Every structure is written in structure tokens, then in C-alpha cells.
């Protein structure tokens, strides 16, 4: 998984780069037993969309039957964060009249877009709260 945080503009293309954070996870995935699927799906949904599980109907048995949930024990993991990617060396011979620096990038949650079938329904609290939370990061 990689998250792009910005573009690094250097005075040469060779030294231009990206500021990013990345994680690599190694492990052997196994399917979760049927008895544990619903709790895992609710936990994942609540992590991504806090409060949503309480606003929608319960998961149907046919939905659980059609869904595979995988468990991956972390045997090896590595993380890279190159936030110090704006390193310049004095006396490197580069033209100082060419701008160099960082163009930060960020993900911004936009306005909720209703489905055609729910165009007249008010936006649920969980949607607005998640949007507001993401835009504060």
C-alpha cells in the first residue's frame, strides 16, 4: 500500500521525486470461519465509516455467504516514509534560479453524492462525520 503525499520538484529531473509512505505486509492469508465473518465486516466498516453499522440494516445471510473475509497474520512487515526527501547539497553545481521544493498533495473528502434512489433522503450523520474527520487530517 502506498500513499502519495507530494511531488518533489528538484532543479533536475534526476533529483525530482515523490514524497510517500508505503507499507508491505508478508503473510499467508486464510479464510475466516463463517461464524467470525459478520463481526469482522462490522469492525472493518466501523473503522472506515464510524457509526454506519447502526444506521443501516443488518448484514443478510446471503451476503455473508457471498463474501470471503481473509485473515493475514503479520509474519513480516516493513514501512517506508521518505518525508525527508527535500535534501539539497550545498555546492552541487545546480542553478539556484530554478525553483525547487515540495508540492504537497492530500486527499480531501468532497460533498456526499446521493444515489438516484436516495436523492431526497437526508445525508446520514456517519457520512458527514467521516467527511469532516477526513478533511481535518
Amino acid at each position: 500500500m502506498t500513499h502519495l503525499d507530494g511531488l518533489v520538484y528538484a532543479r533536475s529531473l534526476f533529483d525530482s521525486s515523490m514524497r510517500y509512505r508505503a507499507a508491505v505486509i508478508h503473510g499467508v492469508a486464510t479464510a475466516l470461519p463463517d461464524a467470525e465473518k459478520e463481526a469482522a465486516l462490522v469492525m472493518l466498516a466501523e473503522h472506515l465509516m464510524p457509526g454506519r453499522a447502526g444506521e443501516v440494516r443488518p448484514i443478510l445471510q446471503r451476503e455473508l455467504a457471498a463474501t470471503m473475509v481473509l485473515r493475514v497474520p503479520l509474519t513480516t512487515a516493513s514501512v517506508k516514509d521518505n518525508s525527508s526527501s527535500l535534501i539539497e547539497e550545498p555546492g552541487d553545481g545546480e542553478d539556484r534560479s530554478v525553483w525547487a521544493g515540495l508540492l504537497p498533495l492530500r486527499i480531501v473528502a468532497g460533498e456526499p453524492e446521493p444515489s438516484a434512489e436516495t436523492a431526497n433522503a437526508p445525508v446520514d450523520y456517519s457520512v458527514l462525520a467521516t467527511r469532516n474527520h477526513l478533511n481535518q487530517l
Side-chain angles (χ1 to χ4, degrees):
M1 176 185 301
T2 301
H3 179 82
L4 183 61
D5 291 315
L7 299 175
V8 176
Y9 284 75
R11 286 179 293 280
S12 70
L13 292 180
F14 179 79
D15 292 318
S16 296
S17 183
M18 294 175 280
R19 180 173 284 181
Y20 64 91
R21 291 170 281 162
V24 177
I25 297 168
H26 297 274
V28 177
T30 57
L32 223 55
D34 289 345
E36 297 177 33
K37 278 188 198 178
E38 184 172 6
L41 292 170
V42 170
M43 183 187 307
L44 176 62
E46 284 299 308
H47 178 73
L48 296 171
M49 303 173 285
R52 189 63 176 164
E55 296 172 342
V56 299
R57 65 165 171 74
I59 300 171
L60 302 176
Q61 282 305 120
R62 66 179 168 81
E63 294 168 335
L64 288 173
T67 304
M68 179 183 290
V69 180
L70 299 176
R71 173 184 291 142
V72 181
L74 300 181
T75 54
T76 306
S78 65
V79 176
K80 180 168 182 176
D81 178 348
N82 76 336
S83 59
S84 61
S85 60
L86 282 178
I87 299 170
E88 295 183 294
E89 295 185 29
D92 60 8
E94 297 292 341
D95 182 356
R96 297 300 195 247
S97 68
V98 176
W99 186 87
L102 177 71
L103 176 61
L105 303 175
R106 63 184 194 125
I107 296 173
V108 176
E111 289 302 312
E113 299 176 6
S115 71
E117 299 293 322
T118 63
N120 295 323
V123 179
D124 289 322
Y125 174 79
S126 67
V127 178
L128 298 174
T130 300
R131 179 200 61 196
N132 294 340
H133 172 74
L134 291 173
N135 287 341
Q136 291 175 2
L137 297 177

Coordinates of all heavy atoms in Angstrom, one line a residue, residues 15-93:
D15 N 16.9 14.4 -9.8 CA 16.7 14.5 -8.4 C 15.2 14.7 -8.0 O 14.9 14.8 -6.8 CB 17.5 15.7 -7.9 CG 19.0 15.4 -8.0 OD1 19.4 14.3 -7.6 OD2 19.8 16.3 -8.4
S16 N 14.3 14.9 -9.0 CA 12.9 15.1 -8.7 C 12.4 13.7 -8.2 O 12.9 12.7 -8.6 CB 12.2 15.5 -9.9 OG 12.6 16.8 -10.3
S17 N 11.4 13.8 -7.4 CA 10.9 12.5 -6.7 C 9.5 12.7 -6.2 O 8.8 13.6 -6.6 CB 11.9 12.2 -5.6 OG 11.5 11.0 -5.0
M18 N 9.1 11.8 -5.4 CA 7.8 11.8 -4.7 C 8.0 11.7 -3.2 O 8.9 11.0 -2.8 CB 6.9 10.7 -5.2 CG 6.5 10.8 -6.7 SD 5.6 9.4 -7.2 CE 7.0 8.2 -7.5
R19 N 7.2 12.3 -2.5 CA 7.2 12.1 -1.0 C 6.0 11.1 -0.8 O 4.9 11.3 -1.2 CB 6.9 13.4 -0.3 CG 6.9 13.2 1.2 CD 6.8 14.5 2.0 NE 8.2 15.1 1.9 CZ 8.4 16.3 2.5 NH1 7.5 16.9 3.1 NH2 9.6 16.8 2.4
Y20 N 6.3 10.0 -0.1 CA 5.3 9.0 0.1 C 5.5 8.2 1.4 O 6.6 8.3 2.0 CB 5.3 8.0 -1.1 CG 6.6 7.2 -1.2 CD1 6.8 6.0 -0.6 CD2 7.7 7.8 -1.9 CE1 7.9 5.3 -0.7 CE2 8.9 7.1 -2.1 CZ 9.0 5.8 -1.4 OH 10.2 5.2 -1.5
R21 N 4.5 7.5 1.7 CA 4.6 6.5 2.8 C 4.1 5.2 2.2 O 3.1 5.1 1.5 CB 3.7 6.9 4.0 CG 4.2 8.1 4.7 CD 3.1 8.7 5.6 NE 2.1 9.4 4.9 CZ 1.0 9.7 5.4 NH1 0.6 9.4 6.5 NH2 0.1 10.4 4.6
A22 N 4.8 4.1 2.5 CA 4.4 2.8 2.0 C 4.6 1.7 3.0 O 5.4 1.8 3.9 CB 5.3 2.5 0.8
A23 N 3.7 0.7 2.9 CA 3.8 -0.5 3.8 C 3.7 -1.7 2.9 O 2.9 -1.8 2.0 CB 2.6 -0.4 4.8
V24 N 4.5 -2.7 3.3 CA 4.4 -4.0 2.7 C 4.2 -5.0 3.8 O 5.0 -5.0 4.8 CB 5.7 -4.3 1.9 CG1 5.7 -5.7 1.3 CG2 5.9 -3.3 0.8
I25 N 3.3 -5.9 3.6 CA 3.0 -6.9 4.6 C 3.1 -8.3 3.9 O 2.6 -8.5 2.8 CB 1.5 -6.8 5.1 CG1 1.4 -5.4 5.8 CG2 1.2 -7.9 6.0 CD1 0.0 -5.0 6.1
H26 N 3.9 -9.2 4.6 CA 4.0 -10.5 4.1 C 3.4 -11.5 5.1 O 3.6 -11.4 6.3 CB 5.5 -10.9 4.0 CG 6.3 -10.1 3.0 ND1 6.3 -10.4 1.7 CD2 7.0 -8.9 3.2 CE1 7.0 -9.4 1.1 NE2 7.4 -8.6 2.0
G27 N 2.6 -12.4 4.6 CA 2.0 -13.4 5.4 C 1.1 -14.3 4.6 O 0.9 -14.1 3.4
V28 N 0.6 -15.4 5.2 CA -0.2 -16.3 4.5 C -1.7 -16.1 4.9 O -2.0 -16.2 6.1 CB 0.2 -17.8 4.8 CG1 -0.8 -18.7 4.1 CG2 1.6 -18.0 4.3
A29 N -2.5 -15.7 3.9 CA -3.9 -15.4 4.2 C -4.7 -16.7 4.3 O -4.5 -17.7 3.6 CB -4.5 -14.6 3.1
T30 N -5.7 -16.7 5.3 CA -6.6 -17.8 5.5 C -8.0 -17.2 5.6 O -8.2 -16.1 6.0 CB -6.3 -18.6 6.7 OG1 -6.3 -17.7 7.9 CG2 -5.0 -19.3 6.7
A31 N -9.0 -18.0 5.1 CA -10.4 -17.5 5.1 C -10.9 -17.6 6.6 O -10.6 -18.5 7.3 CB -11.2 -18.4 4.2
L32 N -11.6 -16.6 6.9 CA -12.2 -16.5 8.3 C -13.4 -17.5 8.3 O -14.1 -17.6 7.3 CB -12.7 -15.1 8.5 CG -12.5 -14.5 9.9 CD1 -11.0 -14.5 10.3 CD2 -13.0 -13.1 9.9
P33 N -13.5 -18.2 9.4 CA -14.7 -19.1 9.5 C -16.0 -18.3 9.4 O -16.0 -17.1 9.8 CB -14.5 -19.7 10.9 CG -13.1 -19.5 11.3 CD -12.7 -18.3 10.6
D34 N -17.0 -18.9 8.9 CA -18.3 -18.3 8.7 C -18.8 -17.6 10.0 O -19.4 -16.5 10.0 CB -19.4 -19.3 8.3 CG -19.2 -19.7 6.8 OD1 -18.4 -19.0 6.1 OD2 -19.8 -20.7 6.4
A35 N -18.6 -18.2 11.2 CA -19.1 -17.7 12.4 C -18.4 -16.3 12.8 O -18.9 -15.6 13.6 CB -18.8 -18.7 13.6
E36 N -17.2 -16.0 12.2 CA -16.5 -14.8 12.5 C -16.6 -13.7 11.5 O -16.2 -12.6 11.7 CB -15.0 -15.1 12.7 CG -14.7 -16.1 13.9 CD -13.3 -16.4 14.0 OE1 -12.4 -15.6 13.6 OE2 -13.0 -17.6 14.4
K37 N -17.2 -14.0 10.3 CA -17.3 -13.1 9.2 C -18.0 -11.8 9.6 O -17.6 -10.7 9.3 CB -18.0 -13.7 8.0 CG -17.2 -14.5 7.2 CD -18.0 -14.9 5.9 CE -17.5 -16.1 5.2 NZ -18.4 -16.4 4.0
E38 N -19.2 -11.9 10.1 CA -20.1 -10.7 10.4 C -19.4 -9.7 11.3 O -19.3 -8.5 11.0 CB -21.4 -11.1 10.9 CG -22.3 -9.9 11.1 CD -23.8 -10.2 11.4 OE1 -24.1 -11.4 11.7 OE2 -24.6 -9.3 11.5
A39 N -18.8 -10.2 12.4 CA -18.1 -9.3 13.3 C -16.9 -8.6 12.7 O -16.7 -7.5 12.9 CB -17.6 -10.1 14.5
A40 N -16.2 -9.4 11.8 CA -15.0 -8.8 11.1 C -15.5 -7.7 10.1 O -14.9 -6.7 10.0 CB -14.3 -9.9 10.4
L41 N -16.6 -8.0 9.4 CA -17.1 -7.0 8.4 C -17.6 -5.7 9.1 O -17.3 -4.6 8.7 CB -18.2 -7.6 7.6 CG -17.7 -8.7 6.6 CD1 -18.8 -9.4 5.9 CD2 -16.8 -8.1 5.5
V42 N -18.3 -5.9 10.2 CA -18.8 -4.7 11.0 C -17.6 -4.0 11.6 O -17.5 -2.7 11.5 CB -19.7 -5.2 12.1 CG1 -20.0 -4.0 13.1 CG2 -21.0 -5.7 11.5
M43 N -16.5 -4.7 12.1 CA -15.4 -4.0 12.6 C -14.7 -3.2 11.5 O -14.3 -2.0 11.7 CB -14.4 -5.0 13.2 CG -13.2 -4.4 13.8 SD -11.9 -5.6 14.3 CE -12.8 -6.7 15.4
L44 N -14.5 -3.7 10.3 CA -13.9 -3.0 9.2 C -14.7 -1.8 8.8 O -14.2 -0.7 8.6 CB -13.7 -3.9 8.0 CG -13.2 -3.3 6.7 CD1 -11.8 -2.8 7.0 CD2 -13.2 -4.3 5.6
A45 N -16.1 -2.0 8.7 CA -16.9 -0.9 8.3 C -16.9 0.2 9.4 O -16.8 1.4 9.0 CB -18.4 -1.4 8.2
E46 N -16.9 -0.1 10.6 CA -16.8 0.9 11.7 C -15.5 1.6 11.7 O -15.4 2.8 12.1 CB -17.1 0.3 13.1 CG -18.6 0.0 13.3 CD -19.5 1.2 13.2 OE1 -19.2 2.2 13.9 OE2 -20.4 1.2 12.4
H47 N -14.4 0.9 11.3 CA -13.1 1.6 11.2 C -13.1 2.6 10.1 O -12.6 3.7 10.3 CB -12.0 0.6 11.0 CG -10.7 1.2 10.9 ND1 -10.0 1.7 11.9 CD2 -9.9 1.4 9.8 CE1 -8.8 2.2 11.5 NE2 -8.8 2.0 10.2
L48 N -13.7 2.3 9.0 CA -13.7 3.2 7.8 C -14.8 4.2 7.9 O -14.7 5.4 7.4 CB -13.8 2.4 6.5 CG -12.7 1.5 6.2 CD1 -13.0 0.6 5.0 CD2 -11.4 2.3 5.9
M49 N -16.0 3.8 8.4 CA -17.2 4.7 8.4 C -17.8 4.6 9.8 O -18.9 4.0 10.0 CB -18.2 4.2 7.4 CG -17.6 4.1 5.9 SD -18.8 3.3 4.8 CE -18.7 1.6 5.2
P50 N -17.2 5.2 10.8 CA -17.7 5.1 12.2 C -19.2 5.5 12.3 O -19.7 6.5 11.7 CB -16.9 6.1 12.9 CG -15.6 6.3 12.1 CD -16.1 6.1 10.7
G51 N -20.0 4.6 12.9 CA -21.4 4.8 13.2 C -22.3 4.3 12.1 O -23.5 4.2 12.3
R52 N -21.8 3.9 11.0 CA -22.6 3.5 9.8 C -23.4 2.2 10.1 O -24.5 2.0 9.7 CB -21.7 3.3 8.6 CG -22.5 3.1 7.3 CD -23.4 4.3 7.0 NE -24.1 4.1 5.8 CZ -25.1 4.8 5.4 NH1 -25.6 5.8 6.2 NH2 -25.7 4.6 4.2
A53 N -22.8 1.2 10.8 CA -23.4 0.0 11.1 C -24.7 0.2 11.8 O -25.7 -0.6 11.6 CB -22.5 -1.0 11.9
G54 N -24.8 1.2 12.7 CA -26.1 1.5 13.4 C -27.1 2.2 12.6 O -28.3 2.3 13.0
E55 N -26.8 2.7 11.4 CA -27.7 3.4 10.5 C -28.3 2.5 9.4 O -29.3 2.9 8.8 CB -27.0 4.6 9.9 CG -26.5 5.6 10.9 CD -25.6 6.7 10.2 OE1 -25.1 6.5 9.1 OE2 -25.4 7.7 10.9
V56 N -27.7 1.4 9.2 CA -28.2 0.5 8.1 C -28.7 -0.8 8.6 O -28.5 -1.1 9.8 CB -27.1 0.3 7.0 CG1 -26.6 1.6 6.4 CG2 -25.9 -0.4 7.7
R57 N -29.4 -1.5 7.7 CA -29.9 -2.8 8.1 C -28.8 -3.8 8.4 O -27.7 -3.6 7.9 CB -30.8 -3.4 7.0 CG -30.1 -3.7 5.7 CD -30.9 -4.6 4.8 NE -30.3 -4.7 3.5 CZ -29.2 -5.4 3.3 NH1 -28.6 -6.1 4.2 NH2 -28.7 -5.5 2.0
P58 N -29.1 -4.9 9.2 CA -28.1 -5.9 9.5 C -27.7 -6.6 8.2 O -28.4 -6.6 7.2 CB -28.8 -6.8 10.4 CG -29.9 -6.1 11.0 CD -30.3 -5.1 9.9
I59 N -26.5 -7.2 8.2 CA -26.0 -8.0 7.1 C -26.8 -9.2 6.9 O -27.2 -9.9 7.9 CB -24.5 -8.4 7.3 CG1 -23.6 -7.1 7.5 CG2 -24.0 -9.3 6.2 CD1 -22.2 -7.4 8.0
L60 N -27.2 -9.5 5.7 CA -28.1 -10.7 5.4 C -27.2 -11.9 5.3 O -26.0 -11.9 4.9 CB -28.8 -10.5 4.1 CG -29.8 -9.2 4.0 CD1 -30.4 -9.1 2.6 CD2 -30.8 -9.3 5.1
Q61 N -27.8 -13.1 5.6 CA -27.1 -14.3 5.5 C -26.6 -14.6 4.1 O -25.4 -15.1 3.9 CB -28.0 -15.5 5.9 CG -28.1 -15.6 7.4 CD -26.8 -15.7 8.1 OE1 -26.5 -14.9 9.0 NE2 -26.0 -16.7 7.8
R62 N -27.3 -14.2 3.0 CA -26.9 -14.4 1.7 C -25.7 -13.6 1.3 O -24.8 -13.9 0.6 CB -28.0 -14.2 0.7 CG -28.5 -12.8 0.6 CD -29.7 -12.8 -0.5 NE -30.4 -11.5 -0.4 CZ -29.9 -10.4 -1.0 NH1 -28.8 -10.3 -1.6 NH2 -30.6 -9.3 -0.8
E63 N -25.6 -12.4 2.0 CA -24.4 -11.5 1.8 C -23.2 -12.1 2.4 O -22.1 -12.1 1.9 CB -24.7 -10.1 2.3 CG -25.8 -9.4 1.6 CD -26.3 -8.1 2.2 OE1 -26.2 -8.0 3.5 OE2 -26.8 -7.3 1.5
L64 N -23.4 -12.7 3.6 CA -22.3 -13.3 4.3 C -21.8 -14.5 3.5 O -20.6 -14.8 3.4 CB -22.7 -13.8 5.7 CG -22.8 -12.6 6.7 CD1 -23.4 -13.2 8.0 CD2 -21.5 -11.9 7.0
A65 N -22.7 -15.3 2.9 CA -22.4 -16.4 2.1 C -21.6 -16.1 0.9 O -20.8 -16.8 0.4 CB -23.6 -17.2 1.8
A66 N -21.9 -14.9 0.3 CA -21.2 -14.4 -0.9 C -19.9 -13.7 -0.6 O -19.3 -13.2 -1.6 CB -22.2 -13.5 -1.7
T67 N -19.5 -13.5 0.6 CA -18.3 -12.8 1.0 C -17.3 -13.6 1.6 O -17.6 -14.4 2.5 CB -18.7 -11.6 1.9 OG1 -19.8 -10.8 1.4 CG2 -17.6 -10.7 2.3
M68 N -16.0 -13.4 1.2 CA -14.9 -14.1 1.8 C -14.1 -13.1 2.6 O -13.8 -12.0 2.0 CB -14.0 -14.8 0.8 CG -12.8 -15.5 1.4 SD -11.7 -16.2 0.2 CE -12.7 -17.6 -0.3
V69 N -13.8 -13.3 3.8 CA -13.0 -12.4 4.6 C -11.7 -13.2 4.9 O -11.7 -14.3 5.3 CB -13.7 -12.1 5.9 CG1 -12.9 -11.1 6.8 CG2 -15.1 -11.4 5.7
L70 N -10.6 -12.5 4.7 CA -9.3 -13.1 4.9 C -8.6 -12.5 6.1 O -8.7 -11.3 6.4 CB -8.4 -12.9 3.6 CG -8.9 -13.4 2.3 CD1 -8.0 -13.0 1.2 CD2 -9.1 -14.9 2.4
R71 N -7.9 -13.4 6.8 CA -7.1 -13.0 7.9 C -5.6 -13.2 7.5 O -5.3 -14.2 6.9 CB -7.4 -13.9 9.1 CG -6.4 -13.7 10.3 CD -6.7 -14.7 11.4 NE -8.0 -14.3 12.0 CZ -8.8 -15.2 12.5 NH1 -8.6 -16.5 12.3 NH2 -9.9 -14.9 13.0
V72 N -4.8 -12.2 7.7 CA -3.4 -12.2 7.3 C -2.6 -12.0 8.6 O -2.4 -10.8 9.0 CB -3.0 -11.2 6.2 CG1 -1.6 -11.4 5.9 CG2 -3.9 -11.4 5.0
P73 N -2.0 -13.0 9.2 CA -1.1 -12.7 10.3 C 0.1 -12.1 9.8 O 0.7 -12.5 8.8 CB -0.9 -14.1 10.9 CG -1.5 -15.1 10.0 CD -2.2 -14.4 8.9
L74 N 0.6 -11.1 10.5 CA 1.8 -10.4 10.1 C 3.0 -11.2 10.5 O 3.4 -11.2 11.7 CB 1.9 -9.0 10.7 CG 0.7 -8.1 10.4 CD1 0.9 -6.7 11.0 CD2 0.6 -7.9 8.9
T75 N 3.7 -11.8 9.5 CA 4.9 -12.5 9.8 C 6.1 -11.6 9.5 O 7.1 -11.6 10.3 CB 5.1 -13.8 8.9 OG1 4.9 -13.4 7.5 CG2 4.0 -14.8 9.3
T76 N 5.9 -10.7 8.5 CA 6.9 -9.7 8.2 C 6.2 -8.5 7.7 O 5.3 -8.6 6.9 CB 7.9 -10.2 7.1 OG1 8.5 -11.4 7.6 CG2 9.0 -9.2 6.9
A77 N 6.6 -7.3 8.1 CA 6.1 -6.1 7.6 C 7.2 -5.0 7.6 O 8.1 -5.0 8.4 CB 4.9 -5.6 8.5
S78 N 7.1 -4.1 6.6 CA 8.0 -3.0 6.5 C 7.3 -1.8 6.1 O 6.3 -1.8 5.4 CB 9.2 -3.4 5.5 OG 8.6 -3.5 4.2
V79 N 7.8 -0.7 6.6 CA 7.2 0.6 6.3 C 8.3 1.6 5.9 O 9.4 1.5 6.4 CB 6.5 1.2 7.6 CG1 6.0 2.6 7.3 CG2 5.4 0.3 8.0
K80 N 8.0 2.4 4.8 CA 9.0 3.4 4.4 C 8.3 4.7 4.4 O 7.2 4.9 3.9 CB 9.5 3.0 3.0 CG 10.5 4.1 2.5 CD 11.2 3.7 1.3 CE 12.2 4.8 1.0 NZ 13.1 4.5 -0.1
D81 N 8.9 5.7 4.9 CA 8.4 7.1 5.0 C 9.6 7.9 4.5 O 10.6 8.1 5.2 CB 8.0 7.4 6.4 CG 7.5 8.9 6.5 OD1 7.7 9.7 5.6 OD2 6.9 9.2 7.5
N82 N 9.5 8.5 3.3 CA 10.6 9.4 2.8 C 10.3 10.8 3.0 O 10.5 11.6 2.1 CB 10.9 9.0 1.4 CG 10.0 9.6 0.4 OD1 8.8 9.8 0.7 ND2 10.4 9.7 -0.8
S83 N 9.8 11.2 4.2 CA 9.4 12.6 4.4 C 10.6 13.6 4.4 O 10.4 14.8 4.4 CB 8.7 12.7 5.7 OG 9.4 12.3 6.8
S84 N 11.8 13.0 4.4 CA 13.0 13.9 4.4 C 13.5 14.0 3.0 O 14.7 14.1 2.8 CB 14.0 13.4 5.3 OG 14.4 12.1 5.0
S85 N 12.7 13.9 2.0 CA 13.1 13.8 0.6 C 13.5 15.2 0.0 O 13.7 15.3 -1.2 CB 12.1 13.2 -0.3 OG 10.8 13.9 -0.2
L86 N 13.5 16.2 0.8 CA 13.9 17.6 0.2 C 15.3 17.9 0.6 O 15.7 19.0 0.9 CB 13.0 18.6 0.8 CG 11.6 18.7 0.1 CD1 10.8 19.8 0.8 CD2 11.7 19.0 -1.3
I87 N 16.2 16.9 0.6 CA 17.6 17.2 0.9 C 18.3 17.7 -0.3 O 18.3 17.2 -1.4 CB 18.3 15.8 1.4 CG1 17.5 15.3 2.6 CG2 19.7 16.0 1.6 CD1 17.9 13.9 3.0
E88 N 19.0 18.9 0.0 CA 19.8 19.5 -1.1 C 21.2 19.6 -0.6 O 21.5 19.8 0.6 CB 19.3 20.9 -1.4 CG 17.9 20.9 -2.0 CD 17.5 22.3 -2.4 OE1 17.3 23.1 -1.5 OE2 17.3 22.6 -3.6
E89 N 22.1 19.4 -1.5 CA 23.5 19.5 -1.1 C 24.1 20.9 -1.6 O 24.0 21.2 -2.7 CB 24.3 18.4 -1.8 CG 23.9 17.0 -1.3 CD 24.8 15.9 -1.8 OE1 25.9 16.2 -2.1 OE2 24.2 14.8 -1.9
P90 N 24.7 21.6 -0.6 CA 25.3 22.9 -1.0 C 26.4 22.6 -1.9 O 27.1 21.6 -1.9 CB 25.8 23.4 0.3 CG 25.1 22.7 1.4 CD 24.7 21.4 0.8
G91 N 26.6 23.5 -2.9 CA 27.7 23.4 -3.8 C 27.6 22.2 -4.8 O 28.5 21.7 -5.3
D92 N 26.3 21.8 -5.1 CA 26.1 20.7 -6.0 C 26.2 21.2 -7.5 O 26.0 20.4 -8.4 CB 24.8 20.0 -5.7 CG 23.6 20.9 -5.9 OD1 23.7 22.1 -6.3 OD2 22.4 20.5 -5.5
G93 N 26.4 22.5 -7.7 CA 26.5 23.0 -9.1 C 25.2 23.2 -9.8 O 25.2 23.6 -10.9

